[in-house]
């Protein structure tokens, strides 16, 4: 098996995620402790015992999901599995930061602080109510792009997430996204629904957040990753730290090319993917993109042990 380690994005957050890992693996607990220290607050208390609506706030969800993914990686390492067991790492949107941290390109503390900045900047880039996102189900990416262009009418409406062959998310000004929903139905979409999100991510309206990330990233050390990172905005592997830094800035306003990223990995020898952290959204997408890829979820102590045992058996 040639593996890729994949790290989830926003939407996978649940109260209690990672708690069992922290209770069973001291190394996983240290991850949450380090994130708490970097942020100057007990984010772990919110993750494990807080309210879902507070955890879902973008500024909390982003570092929280990263912490859970890195805790799972720490548990794997405690079982003898390092990131070098993967040929590539990749993450969905904020998950790209988790991937970079797992691959040693960013420190854990810097990753936590960057994601707090990113979450706040993305939330504040557009006044509440002015932006929106919608999922277009049953349309391919090219059709969804045409729908978004037709809906724009002088406003912003872009294909933001190319998740899998039948799921594209559009993002932009609310009135344009609402037009896209109606146009998509006429283009044969199985469903077209507005999403309960707090901001229009991954479109041109996020430029203030991209500027904030450019400034924040200029102050942190970003090293060459130990494993190549398949970047969202280019859907190809990269190992150059300066190039990856630029991709993180471009990612804020650019499309998450997840379908293409998975196809690129499959074309370059990947036969198995591990979804590391909370939830199973990426696993579902991968099954719809390429059913020949084996999938595995690694988010609980039992899954960590089973994964390490399977790897040891070859």
């Amino acid at each position: 098996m040639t593996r890729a380690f994949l790290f989830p994005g926003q939407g996978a957050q649940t109260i209690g995620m990672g708690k069992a890992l922290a209770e069973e693996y001291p190394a996983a607990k240290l991850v949450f402790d380090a994130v708490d220290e970097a942020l100057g607050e007990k984010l772990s208390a919110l993750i494990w015992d807080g309210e879902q609506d507070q955890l879902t706030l973008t500024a909390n969800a982003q570092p929280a999901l990263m912490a859970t993914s890195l805790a799972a990686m720490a548990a794997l390492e405690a079982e003898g599995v390092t990131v070098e067991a993967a040929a590539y790492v990749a993450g969905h949107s904020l998950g790209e930061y988790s991937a970079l941290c797992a691959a040693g390109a960013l420190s854990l503390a810097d990753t936590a602080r960057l994601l707090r900045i990113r979450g706040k900047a993305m939330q504040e880039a557009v006044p509440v109510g002015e932006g929106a996102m919608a999922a277009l189900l049953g349309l391919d990416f090219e059709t969804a792009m045409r729908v978004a262009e037709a809906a724009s009418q002088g406003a912003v409406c872009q294909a933001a997430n190319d998740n899998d062959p039948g799921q594209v998310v559009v993002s932009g000004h609310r009135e344009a996204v609402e037009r896209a929903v109606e146009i998509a139905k006429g283009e044969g979409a199985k469903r077209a629904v507005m999403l309960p999100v707090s901001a229009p991510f991954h479109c041109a309206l996020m430029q203030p957040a991209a500027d904030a990330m450019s400034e924040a990233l200029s102050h942190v050390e970003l090293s060459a990753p130990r494993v190549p990172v398949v970047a969202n905005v280019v859907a190809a592997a990269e190992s150059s730290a300066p190039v990856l830094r630029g991709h993180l800035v471009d990612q804020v306003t650019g499309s998450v090319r997840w379908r293409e990223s998975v196809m690129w990995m499959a074309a370059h020898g990947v036969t198995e993917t591990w979804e590391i952290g909370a939830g199973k959204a990426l696993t579902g997408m991968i099954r719809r993109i390429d059913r020949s890829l084996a999938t595995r979820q690694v988010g609980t102590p039992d899954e960590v042990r089973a994964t390490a045992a399977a790897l040891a058996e070859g």
Side-chain angles (χ1 to χ4, degrees):
M1 288 283 189
T2 300
R3 289 164 217 89
F5 289 1
L6 309 180
F7 298 87
Q10 207 159 327
Q13 65 275 357
T14 57
I15 294 297
M17 63 183 183
K19 188 173 184 179
L21 289 169
E23 289 172 345
E24 189 151 339
Y25 290 95
K29 175 67 162 56
L30 286 174
V31 169
F32 287 105
D33 290 345
V35 169
D36 287 349
E37 183 176 355
L39 298 179
E41 64 182 72
K42 291 285 286 184
L43 183 65
S44 59
L46 171 60
I47 298 169
W48 297 336
D49 301 303
E51 297 296 328
Q52 183 69 29
D53 61 342
Q54 291 300 304
L55 180 61
T56 298
L57 292 174
T58 303
N60 292 329
Q62 295 200 14
L65 284 161
M66 180 278 298
T68 304
S69 287
L70 270 294
M73 275 300 308
L76 279 173
E77 289 166 4
E79 296 286 356
V81 182
T82 67
V83 71
E84 286 86 358
Y88 303 101
V89 295
H92 192 282
S93 190
L94 81 90
E96 195 162 291
Y97 285 79
S98 305
L100 285 160
C101 185
L106 284 170
S107 74
L108 181 59
D110 281 342
T111 307
R113 288 189 287 262
L114 285 169
L115 285 173
R116 171 54 58 80
I117 293 167
R118 184 178 185 266
K120 285 185 174 180
M122 292 174 81
Q123 184 61 63
E124 294 169 359
V126 180
V128 173
E130 287 190 14
M133 300 180 79
L136 311 183
L137 306 180
L139 297 184
D140 61 28
F141 189 60
E142 289 70 26
T143 304
M145 287 181 67
R146 290 200 303 273
V147 167
E149 184 177 356
S152 59
Q153 298 180 22
V156 171
C157 187
Q158 295 173 228
N161 292 20
D162 181 11
N163 285 332
D164 62 48
Q167 184 189 124
V168 180
V169 175
V170 295
S171 180
H173 287 109
R174 175 168 292 276
E175 66 274 15
V177 173
E178 289 172 345
R179 283 194 294 268
V181 166
E182 295 308 311
I183 294 169
K185 292 173 182 175
E187 290 287 336
K190 292 178 182 176
R191 287 182 67 207
V193 294
M194 302 295 286
L195 296 176
V197 296
S198 55
F201 305 129
H202 298 292
C203 75
L205 297 178
M206 288 287 110
Q207 188 57 49
D211 294 340
M213 292 315 298
S214 179
E215 168 66 16
L217 283 158
S218 72
H219 297 294
V220 303
E221 181 180 351
L222 201 156
S223 308
R226 284 151 44 201
V227 174
V229 179
V230 180
N232 286 183
V233 293
V234 293
E238 183 56 64
S239 293
S240 162
V243 173
L244 286 165
R245 191 187 303 268
H247 287 340
L248 289 176
V249 176
D250 294 342
Q251 186 211 60
V252 180
T253 55
S255 297
V256 177
R257 296 169 61 184
W258 189 252
R259 176 184 59 87
E260 291 178 87
S261 295
V262 173
M263 291 172 62
W264 187 94
M265 288 184 275
H268 287 77
V270 170
T271 54
E272 180 179 49
T273 63
W274 294 4
E275 183 170 3
I276 298 177
K280 54 184 179 181
L282 300 184
T283 298
M285 291 177 198
I286 288 159
R287 289 173 179 163
R288 292 187 290 271
I289 295 166
D290 187 344
R291 294 196 66 84
S292 73
L293 291 172
T295 57
R296 181 179 286 275
Q297 290 157 243
V298 189
T300 68
D302 285 347
E303 289 168 351
V304 168
R305 284 189 292 270
T307 299
L311 185 62
E313 290 171 5

